[in-house]
Amino acid sequence: MTYDFLVIGSGPGGYVAAIRAAQLGLSTAVVEKEERFGGTCLNIGCIPSKALLDSSELYARLCQRDGHDISAHGIKIGKLELDLKAMMARKQQVVEKLTSGVDQLFKGIGIRTFRGTGRITAAGKVEVSAPEGRKQTLSARNIVLATGSVPATLPIFPTGKDGFLTSTEALSLKNVPGKMAVIGAGAIGLELGSVWARLGAEVTVIELLDQILPGMDSEISRRTRSILVKQGFQILTGARVLGYEKAGKSASGKAGKTAGGKSAAGGVILTAEDRGSKKQQVPADVVLLAVGRRPYTEDLGLAELGIKTEEGSGRIIVDGGFQTSLAGVYAIGDLIPGPMLAHKAEEEGMAVAEIAAGKPGEVNYRTIPSVVYTWPEVASVGKSEEALKEQGVEYRKGAFPFRANGRAVAMSSEEGLVKILADSRTDRVLGVHIVGPWASDLIAEAVTVMEFGGSAEDIARTVHAHPTLPEAVREAALAVDGRAIHVLGRKKS
Ligand code: NAD
């Protein structure tokens, strides 16, 4: 048969595209090379990392690390032990629950699935090579490439030996390393660095650029840095790693003293250099390379069919309707330009299915939130102050600290702030930036307001339940006009 809609790859972009297409009545098939559906996000990315972030945060709290004071809650803790194996098993159960959920959704809505590597051989034709070597060719009117991305590597470092890890291995360590070096202070570096720091590793983050989370509003980035440093992170910014040598023994020199058992055997000493050419040695039992990801386009047959990609980044070039340079072939998610985020891929998946069904599928790229799941969390949507200044946009700023929010104080999670940037002339919300408890949830209100073209005054006049963290968002909106209630500031008539 000829399918109406065939998707290669079942990550958040691909599986959402397939489900939406099936909802719209298109005969739909999915080709996936791995055993489980869900792609990087569900198997070796967002979901397992969040499972470990939650477990490790619980452990750090009970250990009274990171400023947590459990005894102040009137709770006394006896002997506390880490069972890393059980923590990893729970993580895997979470992954299995969600990946099998995708399987059930596919079955329930009548999507045909094929296990194997998909390759486009001609317009409308996809060859599927099954793991056991069998090949078959499928026909489809619309083909969607959704194969995602893989970790970028640095030529000076090996991967998979001498303790060098990508995010995939860093999600499954068998022991807590004594010392962990993280190269790259993006989302992966800070999230996985947080997991292992909470479990007892000494973590040093080395970032090439001058701030952590480059691209993030710099006030929020600075505040996040100081919070992480208080948690025990060592952070070197504006630092380049020149190379490494093997340490010959555990770089931590304290194997057996770490929370989860012995540190990894071996270890390396990295040499980092700052902007002033000052060199610093960073010993590490393991080194996490978290320097970005690159689109996974191998095996797809792009070059043979003349499907155009961007020079350098390798991302597939698409038009406004996600169509590649070959008619009937579309690409979405990490394969195409834009932030490599699961929710961006999902939106593109919905849009491409709607376009294939003759509907006007669209993605609003101005309101894609980004979240970093450290504790406290970091979340933002829209323009940073730096971007507004660069573009010459006049704005007003309202900020509100969590230490003045009743719920945050009751939770003992007072660090951080909400910051709202609004157009000086129209009051339209241009950007919202948060570092604080459950920032990942708080940002949703900001995204909705921005989607509707709302103003800071709209948020300020909206009733927010008390006592809740979202009240901090409302207070920041009031602060845009100098009339926040729970902090002293400018008083307006
Ligand atoms: P990233 O692009 O977010 O961060 C990589 C960091 O490495 C940057 O700060 C960059 O300046 C730095 N860097 C690059 N080369 C370096 C070098 N030689 N030495 C030191 N630093 C160097 O990438 P990531 O953290 O690896 O994540 C990959 C992708 O996955 C990103 O697009 C990210 O947004 C996405 N992701 C998102 C989440 C989330 O939304 N919470 C979580 C994980 C990953």
Side-chain angles (χ1 to χ4, degrees), residues 59-231:
Y59 179 70
R61 261 170 202 246
L62 297 174
C63 285
Q64 320 222 44
R65 280 215 191 99
D66 305 350
H68 295 305
D69 184 1
I70 289 288
S71 58
H73 288 271
I75 301 169
K76 284 191 182 160
I77 295 178
K79 191 168 176 281
L80 196 69
E81 264 184 79
L82 174 67
D83 183 348
L84 187 58
K85 213 170 154 194
M87 193 180 281
M88 290 292 171
R90 187 194 85 97
K91 172 204 73 174
Q92 208 47 37
Q93 278 164 12
V94 171
V95 166
E96 276 158 31
K97 194 168 187 174
L98 292 173
T99 53
S100 63
V102 174
D103 193 18
Q104 282 160 23
L105 290 171
F106 281 172
K107 286 191 177 116
I109 203 162
I111 292 169
R112 280 289 311 270
T113 57
F114 297 87
R115 171 94 196 272
T117 304
R119 177 187 187 81
I120 311 174
T121 48
K125 300 281 174 211
V126 170
E127 182 187 76
V128 182
S129 308
E132 69 278 6
R134 198 169 51 88
K135 286 188 197 300
Q136 65 177 315
T137 297
L138 307 174
S139 301
R141 276 180 269 282
N142 300 287
I143 298 169
V144 179
L145 307 177
T147 49
S149 60
V150 288
T153 50
L154 292 173
I156 55 168
F157 298 124
T159 39
K161 65 171 202 170
D162 293 345
F164 284 87
L165 318 167
T166 67
S167 53
T168 307
E169 297 82 50
L171 285 167
S172 297
L173 295 181
K174 295 207 165 42
N175 297 299
V176 179
K179 287 181 190 286
M180 174 181 236
V182 176
I183 304 184
I188 292 183
L190 298 187
E191 289 179 8
L192 290 177
S194 289
V195 166
W196 293 107
R198 292 167 189 172
L199 297 181
E202 286 173 30
V203 176
T204 304
V205 180
I206 306 166
E207 165 60 48
L208 189 62
L209 301 181
D210 289 326
Q211 69 170 50
I212 65 165
L213 301 173
M216 184 71 76
D217 183 276
S218 67
E219 183 183 0
I220 297 292
S221 163
R222 277 197 307 278
R223 189 64 85 90
T224 307
R225 179 181 183 147
S226 74
I227 293 171
L228 292 176
V229 167
K230 267 201 253 164
Q231 291 176 8

Side-chain angles (χ1 to χ4, degrees), residues 145 297 302 307-309 314-318 324 331 335-337:
L145 307 177
T297 52
L302 301 186
I307 294 178
K308 292 198 181 107
T309 55
R315 303 235 195 164
I316 298 176
I317 297 168
V318 290
T324 67
L335 285 178
I336 67 171

Side-chain angles (χ1 to χ4, degrees), residues 417-491:
L417 76 158
V418 179
K419 166 165 151 179
I420 297 184
L421 306 171
D423 190 296
S424 297
R425 205 170 42 85
T426 63
D427 196 40
R428 194 177 174 133
V429 177
L430 302 173
V432 178
H433 309 279
I434 307 173
V435 51
W438 302 120
S440 58
D441 292 336
L442 297 179
I443 203 69
E445 175 181 10
V447 176
T448 307
V449 169
M450 287 179 68
E451 186 65 39
F452 280 89
S455 63
E457 190 64 16
D458 288 326
I459 302 177
R461 284 179 183 268
T462 301
V463 181
H464 288 65
H466 176 76
T468 59
L469 297 172
E471 285 178 293
V473 178
R474 179 182 183 227
E475 289 266 17
L478 285 163
V480 168
D481 190 41
R483 55 182 220 268
I485 299 295
H486 292 91
V487 279
L488 297 175
R490 283 176 298 135
K491 193 171 178 308

Side-chain angles (χ1 to χ4, degrees), residues 45-46 49-50 53 149-152 154 156-157 167 182-191 206-215 236 239-241 289-294 315 334 338-343 369-374 378:
C46 326
S49 64
K50 262 81 264 175
L53 278 158
S149 60
V150 288
L154 292 173
I156 55 168
F157 298 124
S167 53
V182 176
I183 304 184
I188 292 183
L190 298 187
E191 289 179 8
I206 306 166
E207 165 60 48
L208 189 62
L209 301 181
D210 289 326
Q211 69 170 50
I212 65 165
L213 301 173
L236 314 176
R240 178 181 295 280
V241 182
L289 285 177
V291 293
R293 298 178 62 87
R294 62 172 179 82
R315 303 235 195 164
D334 290 4
M340 287 187 170
L341 297 170
H343 45 278
S370 83
V371 177
V372 185
Y373 297 82
T374 46
V378 188

